[in-house]
Amino acid sequence: MSEASQGVSGAERAPTTLGGRLRLVGPGLVMAATGVGAGDLISSLVAGTQFGTVLIWAIVLGAIIKFSLVEGMGRWYMATGRTIFEGWRDLGRWATIYFVVYLFLVTFVFGAAVTSASALAVDALFPGVLPIWAWAVLHGIFGFVVVGIGRYNLFERVIEVFVGLMFLTVVGLAIVLAPNLGDLAIGLVPRIPDGSLIYALGIIGGVSGTFTLASYPYWVRERGWRRSTWIPTMRTDLIVGYIITAVFMISMLIIGSEFLFGTGTSISDTEGLVALSDPLSERFGTVAGWFFLIGFWSATTSSILGAWNGAAYLFADFVRTLDVTPGDDETYLSEKGPFFRGFLVWITFPPMALLFFDQPVLLVIIYASLGALFLPFLSITLIWLLNSDRVGREYRNKIFSNAGMAVALLLFLALAINELIGLF
């Protein structure tokens, strides 16, 4: 029996060695696969196309900042036994209402955006077989079926397959294409060439998702990591996940840099999202072009699964905190529960109406803009909660956690202002 099955009751003892913790890595892989979606792929490719490898440091910084936020949520849950929604409820009903309104808006757009991104890759692999909207519908139904089965073990195993595909394809290509180590090392030194500030901020803010960050505690909960003794295991799990996230995004940046840097080629339109497959095929053969497209497809399709699962958990937990219907918490926080499955229907089917506008890239851009409305909220509420007496003194934020969250708050406020200005 796997640890994911054994640990659901929380009865298993947390490992005390690094090797033992590494053997249990899983939710962090789900976070990595979910967070690296179409927006992250595009931001890394665009940065590589425009500025080469000089913005590698922004990817690393973004991973560190997002780690501080997700680690804070995991620490809150394990130290208090309460979910982030319960923490937001303590701050006032406004916080939970704000988030759930945001959740409905962003998932409506995201449900169409992420399935469209997967559809673009499949359409490039099999041009003309089906219209893009039809591929997108099939991907949405795929996510609905896999998550709707209601077995976390299966969900995590499928995600791990996608992570493997991502590494085999995109990271493999980056290794083949990589410039010398000296150039890569230079990219780790923070520099902001003329015109690159917005790109750097976008990369930092875009590393590993938006609303899906809040889903991580539900995934560790499925593993049975429900007490403070599991905090070191949780941190190890997240470190692995964010290393994978950074490596994958750096690989995309390298690919964009090696093929399009200095060419003036745009990857901002529908055709451009998969424009790299042609030069890859010309230089290394058809298989290389397919590798890139398969990696692109794996990243976006794993985001479908993770977002479908995470968003459904978040909504079910919101309903639980309303105390509308008395009952066992497991009725709400279950992949087979009515509120979980009800929201799964919401994120899958209503967004399909947006597919007929035939603007897949625009949907990705709108989703990224909506993300700017959540990240400042998450940063400030975590700072508030994790410095309060709601958490035992030993589990409150230390100086580095507060610094990371404060930087995240300032950065995400700047990004939010920039995104809002861009809308008007």
Side-chain angles (χ1 to χ4, degrees):
M1 183 181 296
S2 70
E3 195 279 341
S5 300
Q6 293 174 334
V8 170
S9 67
E12 291 292 309
R13 295 184 60 184
T16 57
T17 64
L18 178 60
R21 293 166 187 160
L22 288 173
R23 282 193 291 272
L24 299 184
V25 166
L29 297 180
V30 176
M31 175 60 68
T34 302
V36 180
D40 303 293
L41 300 181
I42 294 169
S43 63
S44 293
L45 287 170
V46 169
T49 299
Q50 297 291 327
F51 302 103
T53 58
V54 300
L55 295 180
I56 288 177
W57 64 269
I59 294 174
V60 176
L61 179 59
I64 293 172
I65 289 174
K66 291 290 183 70
F67 170 86
S68 72
L69 295 177
V70 183
E71 186 275 339
M73 281 188 292
R75 177 160 38 94
W76 161 267
Y77 172 63
M78 294 176 191
T80 66
R82 306 172 73 216
T83 67
I84 190 64
F85 256 108
E86 291 172 290
W88 288 337
R89 183 182 60 185
D90 287 353
L91 301 180
R93 186 66 72 186
W94 67 270
T96 56
I97 296 299
Y98 175 92
F99 179 77
V100 83
V101 170
Y102 161 80
L103 185 67
F104 269 93
L105 287 174
V106 77
T107 51
F108 182 65
V109 178
F110 182 80
V114 70
T115 53
S116 294
S118 291
L120 288 172
V122 178
D123 184 65
L125 286 165
F126 308 105
V129 174
L130 289 175
I132 289 176
W133 67 263
W135 284 122
V137 167
L138 290 175
H139 279 83
I141 293 172
F142 170 72
F144 179 81
V145 170
V146 172
V147 177
I149 290 172
R151 291 177 53 201
Y152 178 79
N153 288 350
L154 172 65
F155 164 73
E156 192 176 284
R157 296 293 87 76
V158 173
I159 289 286
E160 289 173 354
V161 170
F162 280 114
V163 170
L165 280 174
M166 289 158 61
F167 257 73
L168 177 66
T169 54
V170 173
V171 178
L173 284 172
I175 291 172
V176 172
L177 299 173
N180 63 62
L181 294 179
D183 290 340
L184 291 179
I186 291 173
L188 292 171
V189 179
R191 288 185 295 156
I192 304 179
D194 291 343
S196 68
L197 178 60
I198 295 301
Y199 291 95
L201 290 175
I203 289 174
I204 295 170
V207 172
S208 196
T210 51
F211 74 90
T212 54
L213 298 177
S215 307
Y216 181 74
Y218 303 102
W219 297 328
V220 298
R221 179 182 178 278
E222 287 287 351
R223 282 294 200 96
W225 306 354
R226 303 186 183 187
R227 300 189 303 273
S228 58
T229 54
W230 286 94
I231 289 176
T233 301
M234 176 270 293
R235 287 173 175 155
T236 301
D237 179 67
L238 274 179
I239 288 170
V240 172
Y242 275 99
I243 288 173
I244 289 173
T245 299
V247 167
F248 190 74
M249 288 189 65
I250 289 171
S251 297
M252 296 298 288
L253 184 144
I254 288 172
I255 292 171
S257 170
E258 289 300 297
F259 277 97
L260 299 180
F261 179 47
T263 66
T265 302
S266 170
I267 59 171
S268 60
D269 54 20
T270 303
E271 292 77 15
L273 280 174
V274 291
L276 284 174
S277 63
D278 290 338
L280 276 167
S281 298
E282 292 171 4
R283 182 167 169 181
F284 294 104
T286 303
V287 173
W290 274 57
F291 262 43
F292 172 77
L293 292 172
I294 290 170
F296 186 98
W297 173 80
S298 299
T300 55
T301 305
S302 62
S303 292
I304 294 173
L305 298 177
W308 266 225
N309 184 284
Y313 261 128
L314 287 164
F315 176 73
D317 197 15
F318 166 73
V319 176
R320 183 177 69 94
T321 62
L322 292 177
D323 292 328
V324 173
T325 305
D328 188 346
D329 284 356
E330 297 297 331
T331 301
Y332 297 95
L333 298 183
S334 167
E335 292 172 298
K336 297 181 180 179
F339 300 106
F340 182 100
R341 287 183 165 171
F343 200 83
L344 191 56
V345 171
W346 163 260
I347 196 175
T348 302
F349 297 105
M352 290 179 181
L354 297 178
L355 299 174
F356 297 98
F357 288 99
D358 197 27
Q359 293 290 332
V361 178
L362 177 61
L363 291 172
V364 173
I365 294 170
I366 293 173
Y367 161 68
S369 299
L370 286 171
L373 301 176
F374 170 61
L375 293 172
F377 166 79
L378 178 62
S379 302
I380 196 167
T381 53
L382 281 176
I383 292 172
W384 195 341
L385 290 170
L386 290 169
N387 285 286
S388 72
D389 58 8
R390 297 177 181 87
V391 183
R393 185 174 299 276
E394 66 271 34
Y395 302 115
R396 293 177 195 169
N397 274 3
K398 303 300 187 291
I399 185 170
F400 291 111
S401 295
N402 276 324
M405 292 179 186
V407 169
L409 175 59
L410 295 174
L411 169 67
F412 298 144
L413 282 174
L415 285 171
I417 292 170
N418 180 69
E419 292 288 353
L420 291 173
I421 291 174
L423 292 176
F424 299 99

